[in-house]
Amino acid sequence: MTAAAKPTRARKRAEVPAPEASTTSSTALDALTAAAPTGTVSLERVEVDPRTLVLDANARTDLQLDARFKALIREHGVLVPLLCRRDPLGQLLVVDGQRRLVAALEEGLPAVPVTMLPPVGDDEARLWDQLVTNDARQPLTAGETAAAYQQLSLMGRSAESIAKRARVDVTVVDTALAVAASKTAAKALKKNTTLTLDQLAALAEFEDNAEVTKELLKHTDDAGTFQHRVSAARAARALTAVREEAIASLPEGTTVLDEDASLPWDAQLERLLDRPGGKSLTVTNHADCPGHAASVLAHRDYSAPGDHAYQADVRWFCTEWKKIGHVSRWATSASGATSGPMAGDAAAERRRVLTNNKAAVAAESVRRAFLREFLQRTKFPADVAVYVAQLVRPGNAGDFRENTVFEELLGEVEATTPHNAMRRLVALAATRAETQMPKDYWRVTTRQDVALHLRALERWGYTLADVEADFVKAVDDAATKAGTR
């Protein structure tokens, strides 16, 4: 087969029923190409009726013409010229710009900009051109987008108007503007231009905390771990704020114990008498005692809605109760209930419990966000039915929080189709697992149901937090030791 006889099945006319094409644009283009000397390329921009163009052999098979792309074409027109060549028959072949052309046709644009290339070459060269132009064309980086939105803002554009014209949610614009104003984000961008808008926003959010931003920058290459670090930082900030607010409300001069201070329960005022057979101790009658102190602990409030609802508990102690002569109200001469501060091992265990509980609370919000995204997928992994059957079974009843968590994960979805039915079942199984994970679940290595839940999420793309990974390993080790695995 000669070169002239090569099949042209890859070429197709890109036209739809419509009024006759504009002769003005065609004449202008004829004049442009005729005037161009042989071997040169005119870069003059010419407007052409899109219905006169023909799609050449193209490497792209999935146009991905989403609603936002077509809305931008409809409102702004085609801004980047299509690259075209003349074939021997005089047709205009679109070498680059298939998506723009099809969107322009669907939106009924009367004309599109065209830049002419040299006459048509062989199919292989043309496909290489398309591969190179499509692969080399990169979208704006998050930093460039943020800078552009900032410039528009400085020109007087509101965030709402920018969002409307850019066809994005206004929260995206607000986030980008915060990023553009952040010195920390700008510094990070100089070292790594591939940072996402969410990552830059997190760096901007913690701009006043160098320790946190330093930790976040260590994990920008691992999106899952980065999310966990951000969530932990937010939780720590919220806990600190709640604790400081509670401390500020205490009587002036109150001694406040460190959060991980190790005092026995017997040292609480409500458990003490001022002396054997004496009176009960209260905050008021004990205020002048040299051991008078308050313990302020902030923690997650599970009775309140939201991922970051916290409250602080204030408990009063006497740090020198044994030395001063206070006694347990339930002590007897034989009970020896006059113990002092915890031993070193017990104190270390208390610190471990506090640290891991905080980590477990922080991981929960990231895990729930993953589940919400997972439940919106149009196709589930093959093992979801096994997951449901393992978690939703007799003897594994839920608790009063199930309705709230289920609605948080899935919302109102009726089982009107097989897929939606499976979504509800997966959400129910996840809800069952989530509501049976107290913040100290990591301490019970026999919780195979929790480990099963976490392993499934990891298979489906979730990144386990350190406390979660340690727990799963501990459960596996315990099962192996007991011979049940």
Side-chain angles (χ1 to χ4, degrees):
M1 181 179 293
T2 64
K6 285 185 178 180
T8 58
R9 54 186 169 79
R11 300 176 183 173
K12 52 185 180 294
R13 180 166 295 280
E15 56 184 346
V16 294
E20 293 185 4
S22 167
T23 57
T24 302
S25 59
S26 178
T27 301
L29 191 58
D30 288 338
L32 170 68
T33 55
T38 303
T40 65
V41 179
S42 173
L43 297 180
E44 181 177 347
R45 174 170 161 160
V46 178
E47 298 291 323
V48 177
D49 189 319
R51 291 160 295 187
T52 66
L53 301 176
V54 176
L55 287 174
D56 208 345
N58 201 288
R60 188 190 293 276
T61 58
D62 185 2
L63 297 185
Q64 299 181 15
L65 295 179
D66 56 79
R68 178 173 181 265
F69 180 76
K70 291 197 289 186
L72 290 170
I73 292 290
R74 182 170 60 250
E75 182 170 349
H76 302 286
V78 175
L79 301 181
V80 179
L82 283 64
L83 300 182
C84 295
R85 286 190 176 103
R86 284 279 193 195
D87 72 0
L89 299 178
Q91 299 181 109
L92 293 181
L93 305 182
V94 178
V95 175
D96 179 68
Q98 183 180 11
R99 292 180 74 237
R100 284 164 279 157
L101 173 60
V102 175
L105 288 169
E106 290 188 5
E107 296 301 325
L109 298 189
V112 294
V114 164
T115 295
M116 291 301 297
L117 296 176
V120 65
D122 62 85
D123 287 342
E124 182 179 352
R126 183 163 54 253
L127 285 171
W128 275 114
D129 286 346
Q130 290 165 355
L131 284 171
V132 171
T133 54
N134 281 302
D135 283 353
R137 180 181 294 126
Q138 295 290 335
L140 294 178
T141 65
E144 290 167 339
T145 300
Y149 287 169
Q150 184 186 47
Q151 289 300 311
L152 290 170
S153 177
L154 294 174
M155 293 174 185
R157 286 277 187 182
S158 66
E160 290 76 13
S161 66
I162 295 172
K164 183 177 180 180
R165 293 206 64 182
R167 301 286 173 172
V168 297
D169 191 89
V170 68
T171 57
V172 175
V173 178
D174 288 335
T175 299
L177 293 177
V179 165
S182 168
K183 293 181 179 179
T184 300
K187 185 177 179 181
L189 274 171
K190 288 182 179 180
K191 296 182 179 179
N192 184 357
T193 60
T194 64
L195 294 175
T196 68
L197 190 60
D198 286 342
Q199 289 175 328
L200 292 169
L203 293 171
E205 179 182 347
F206 291 98
E207 190 161 28
D208 59 347
N209 192 324
E211 184 177 348
V212 170
T213 56
K214 182 179 179 181
E215 176 66 17
L216 293 180
L217 286 169
K218 293 178 183 177
H219 302 285
T220 53
D221 291 335
D222 185 339
T225 301
F226 186 89
Q227 286 181 302
H228 280 299
R229 294 296 188 272
V230 172
S231 182
R234 286 173 179 157
R237 181 177 58 192
L239 287 167
T240 298
V242 167
R243 185 169 186 267
E244 289 179 349
E245 182 179 358
I247 290 173
S249 67
L250 299 177
E252 186 176 355
T254 298
T255 298
V256 179
L257 300 172
D258 290 340
E259 211 173 0
D260 60 352
S262 302
L263 289 173
W265 291 112
D266 286 343
Q268 291 186 69
L269 295 191
E270 63 188 34
R271 295 169 176 264
L272 294 172
L273 300 176
D274 64 338
R275 63 182 185 279
K279 60 184 179 182
S280 299
L281 292 178
T282 66
V283 176
T284 302
N285 66 22
H286 189 261
D288 294 330
C289 178
H292 189 66
S295 170
V296 182
L297 296 178
H299 58 87
R300 171 76 182 273
D301 180 7
Y302 284 94
S303 65
D307 285 340
H308 294 289
Y310 299 97
Q311 68 179 22
D313 289 338
V314 179
R315 293 175 179 170
W316 295 90
F317 287 82
C318 181
T319 60
E320 301 182 28
W321 63 286
K322 182 179 179 182
K323 178 181 178 181
I324 292 173
H326 301 330
V327 295
S328 169
R329 63 172 59 247
W330 297 287
T332 65
S333 58
S335 70
T338 57
S339 59
M342 294 182 185
D345 289 346
E349 174 62 15
R350 175 175 169 77
R351 287 191 292 271
R352 189 175 78 92
V353 169
L354 288 173
T355 298
N356 282 359
N357 283 354
K358 290 178 181 178
V361 168
E364 180 186 282
S365 62
V366 182
R367 194 172 63 246
R368 298 275 178 91
F370 172 82
L371 280 166
R372 288 193 293 271
E373 180 276 327
F374 178 78
L375 288 166
Q376 299 307 311
R377 296 182 186 179
T378 57
K379 186 177 181 180
F380 292 129
D383 61 345
V384 291
V386 176
Y387 167 81
V388 171
Q390 289 174 323
L391 288 176
V392 182
R393 64 185 190 276
N396 189 22
D399 65 20
F400 69 95
R401 294 178 296 152
E402 280 199 354
N403 288 339
T404 301
V405 175
F406 184 87
E407 184 176 344
E408 174 194 343
L409 296 183
L410 188 61
E412 294 296 329
V413 174
E414 298 298 329
T416 54
T417 65
H419 181 68
N420 279 350
M422 181 55 75
R423 290 174 69 193
R424 287 182 62 85
L425 287 172
V426 175
L428 177 60
T431 297
R432 183 64 52 82
E434 289 288 312
T435 53
Q436 296 191 48
M437 289 177 66
K439 63 183 178 182
D440 60 348
Y441 70 85
W442 54 270
R443 304 176 73 177
V444 186
T445 58
T446 57
R447 291 296 304 272
Q448 287 283 355
D449 56 333
V450 175
L452 183 152
H453 175 58
L454 293 174
R455 286 194 207 99
L457 299 193
E458 185 178 30
R459 287 198 306 274
W460 301 337
Y462 173 67
T463 301
L464 295 180
D466 292 343
V467 67
E468 294 168 330
D470 291 343
F471 166 73
V472 170
K473 183 178 183 304
V475 171
D476 290 344
D477 290 346
T480 300
K481 186 175 181 181
T484 58
R485 188 185 181 197

